[in-house]
Amino acid sequence: MSEVVDDKSEHCVPFILSCMSKNSSDDPHQSPIFIGVNGAQGSGKTTLVSTLAEKLRQPPHSLSTIVLSIDDLYLTHDVQSKLAASHPYNPLIQYRGQPSTHDLSLALSLFSDLQQGKVTKIPSYDKSAYSGQGDRIPKEEWAEVNRDTRCETKVVIFEGWCVGFRALPREKLVREWEGAVRKREEGGYVGRLGWNKIEDVDFVNEALRRYDQLTDQLDALIHLDAEDPMFVYEWRVQSERKLRETKGSGMTDPQVVDFVNGYYPAYELFTSRLRAGTFDEGKGRQLRLVIGKDRRVGEVLKM
């Protein structure tokens, strides 16, 4: 497990247990609870979900818990390459990352199988493959859950940088884009949205709308909210350096910047709604942990 800079599980475990108590029943085969975890790349969400899974599995909770990363649902390298080639002038989808670069059919099938307690293989993705472009690991190497009926999954932690994002109405999307373009023209603009064409941004926004099929199945969401989304550049560089050290391959620092540029517009577009609450119904289903550049929690909000 990675070094824990600031143990956020002390906030999250009670939140998850509280959500479970609200959804509890006497049915021993009750569907597992689905907990989303959102956080920018490098924010510490991978460390957090590993800690959460470990603590939930141990006494006194003893809950069979699995972690499903949206990163493991990326399109295969071949399909991603074809997507990029079919939209050669859209810089947002030349790499994995943005909505539209995940296999939603696979994701929905996984959710359904886990909800029904079926024996399920959990996909895995190798980010170091193809010099950091990545590829899905062969299915025969995927881990399997629910084979032992005595250990049926009770908690599914679904984590990812865009988990819980909601698409904007097109009118608002255009307003946000036009505002970013004005800031760029006036000078001093540090974002990326204003450097993209509206049709390219719209493509991602419309793709994200389909992700509601996953978000609507979440029972609750934990949001690691960076005070400044720009932190992601430094955090991602740090993460990729560790990947190169451990696996011997991965993106260089300039490649990381180019990579982050490809999906940073999403932070500009979708963070505000996430901060306000991703669920339209049910109070208390979202936990927002505001973190600084050092990844330490500065504020805790239950929404």
Side-chain angles (χ1 to χ4, degrees):
M1 184 183 299
S2 303
E3 178 185 358
V4 178
V5 174
D6 180 37
D7 187 4
K8 303 168 184 65
S9 65
E10 64 182 29
H11 305 291
C12 300
V13 170
F15 172 71
I16 293 172
L17 295 176
S18 174
C19 292
M20 290 192 71
S21 67
K22 294 177 183 177
N23 295 345
S24 65
S25 75
D26 296 328
D27 183 359
H29 300 293
Q30 180 182 2
S31 297
I33 187 171
F34 280 68
I35 305 293
V37 177
N38 175 287
Q41 291 91 334
S43 63
K45 67 181 178 299
T46 301
T47 299
L48 171 62
V49 298
S50 296
T51 303
L52 289 176
E54 181 178 341
K55 289 190 174 183
L56 290 171
R57 289 167 185 152
Q58 294 176 347
H61 313 303
S62 302
L63 296 167
S64 180
T65 302
I66 66 167
V67 174
L68 175 61
S69 173
I70 199 169
D71 289 359
D72 289 322
L73 299 173
Y74 280 131
L75 300 171
T76 62
H77 181 266
D78 180 59
V79 176
Q80 172 61 38
S81 297
K82 290 177 180 176
L83 173 67
S86 66
H87 299 82
Y89 302 111
N90 187 342
L92 300 178
I93 58 172
Q94 296 309 302
Y95 303 99
R96 68 179 192 268
Q98 288 280 359
S100 76
T101 65
H102 303 93
D103 189 335
L104 280 186
S105 295
L106 175 61
L108 290 168
S109 175
L110 278 170
F111 272 42
S112 177
D113 288 349
L114 290 169
Q115 287 169 342
Q116 297 176 64
K118 293 182 178 180
V119 177
T120 308
K121 282 183 169 289
I122 306 300
S124 185
Y125 192 90
D126 181 3
K127 295 181 181 179
S128 67
Y130 291 94
S131 299
Q133 293 181 33
D135 197 11
R136 191 180 298 161
I137 290 175
K139 189 171 183 177
E140 55 268 22
E141 298 179 30
W142 298 359
E144 188 178 77
V145 299
N146 291 337
R147 174 65 64 182
D148 186 345
T149 56
R150 297 170 299 177
C151 300
E152 286 186 355
T153 301
K154 299 300 182 184
V155 181
V156 177
I157 300 176
F158 181 49
E159 64 93 3
W161 76 276
C162 62
V163 168
F165 280 179
R166 299 280 193 182
L168 300 181
R170 195 175 191 282
E171 298 78 10
K172 184 173 183 180
L173 176 77
V174 172
R175 289 198 301 271
E176 293 290 334
W177 176 79
E178 289 176 340
V181 170
R182 282 195 300 271
K183 290 180 182 178
R184 186 201 75 194
E185 293 173 343
E186 292 167 357
Y189 175 61
V190 296
R192 297 302 306 176
L193 175 61
W195 294 98
N196 288 273
K197 298 176 181 178
I198 185 59
E199 57 265 31
D200 295 339
V201 176
D202 190 39
F203 179 89
V204 171
N205 188 62
E206 287 306 308
L208 177 60
R209 209 174 301 283
R210 299 192 294 273
Y211 286 51
D212 284 353
Q213 298 172 83
L214 300 177
T215 304
D216 290 342
Q217 295 186 59
L218 299 178
D219 295 290
L221 180 77
I222 296 168
H223 178 201
L224 297 184
D225 183 16
E227 292 176 346
D228 183 350
M230 290 296 291
F231 294 161
V232 69
Y233 283 93
E234 183 173 334
W235 288 345
R236 185 67 197 195
V237 164
Q238 294 170 353
S239 298
E240 204 68 24
R241 285 175 180 171
K242 289 182 180 179
L243 185 63
R244 294 200 303 269
E245 291 172 2
T246 56
K247 293 210 171 187
S249 63
M251 289 184 284
T252 64
D253 290 0
Q255 286 174 328
V256 169
V257 172
D258 189 36
F259 177 70
V260 174
N261 284 346
Y263 58 76
Y264 191 81
Y267 291 119
E268 297 175 76
L269 288 170
F270 309 124
T271 297
S272 294
R273 167 64 196 270
L274 189 62
R275 285 173 171 168
T278 197
F279 301 114
D280 293 325
E281 298 180 357
K283 294 293 184 181
R285 294 172 60 193
Q286 185 165 325
L287 186 68
R288 180 180 167 207
L289 305 180
V290 183
I291 59 176
K293 193 172 185 179
D294 60 0
R295 302 180 181 84
R296 296 184 183 278
V297 175
E299 188 176 9
V300 179
L301 301 167
K302 191 173 181 181
M303 306 159 62

